[in-house]
Amino acid sequence: MSTTMHRHDITDEAWALVEPHMLGQQGQRGRIADDNRRFLNAVFWILRTGAPWRDLPPEYGNWNSVAKRFRRWAENGLWEKILEVLIDDPDYE
């Protein structure tokens, strides 16, 4: 992924709030995820642009993999946890 920050990418402050709630961390069962922030930025890009998954820019990863991961997280209830954390941040759009 490019090191350039896009205006719709999650800020460092918001990332610090949600990172502890991410799946795939050291000590958790399953694979360690090294790209949770990139994945979250990909989902936010889709949400903010309204574009279909297939139009996801390649810098965010393979659109199909991102879409499948999004569905898995939805089934696990992780999005509700993330939104609960972010909703308490008045500066988060």
Side-chain angles (χ1 to χ4, degrees), residues 7 9 14 32 51 53 55 73 89:
R7 75 178 171 88
D9 287 351
I32 302 300
W53 286 111
D55 291 344
W73 283 30
D89 183 359

Side-chain angles (χ1 to χ4, degrees), residues 49-86:
T49 64
W53 286 111
R54 287 180 186 265
D55 291 344
L56 183 69
E59 67 193 64
Y60 291 115
N62 177 281
W63 71 268
N64 194 33
S65 298
V66 173
K68 285 180 184 177
R69 189 172 176 187
F70 175 83
R71 285 189 292 277
R72 279 196 315 269
W73 283 30
E75 291 167 358
N76 289 331
L78 187 59
W79 290 114
E80 286 83 5
K81 291 177 188 174
I82 292 170
L83 293 175
E84 286 174 7
V85 170
L86 291 177

Side-chain angles (χ1 to χ4, degrees), residues 2-60:
S2 165
T3 57
T4 304
M5 181 126 176
H6 300 283
R7 75 178 171 88
H8 54 267
D9 287 351
I10 191 168
T11 64
D12 291 339
E13 294 81 15
W15 176 246
L17 292 172
V18 298
E19 184 180 21
H21 304 279
M22 299 285 104
L23 297 176
Q25 295 185 41
Q26 191 72 29
Q28 292 179 346
R29 291 182 54 184
R31 209 170 113 203
I32 302 300
D34 60 352
D35 64 346
N36 276 334
R37 189 169 183 169
R38 180 175 74 152
F39 167 68
L40 207 57
N41 286 331
V43 172
F44 287 166
W45 186 91
I46 291 292
L47 293 174
R48 290 202 174 163
T49 64
W53 286 111
R54 287 180 186 265
D55 291 344
L56 183 69
E59 67 193 64
Y60 291 115

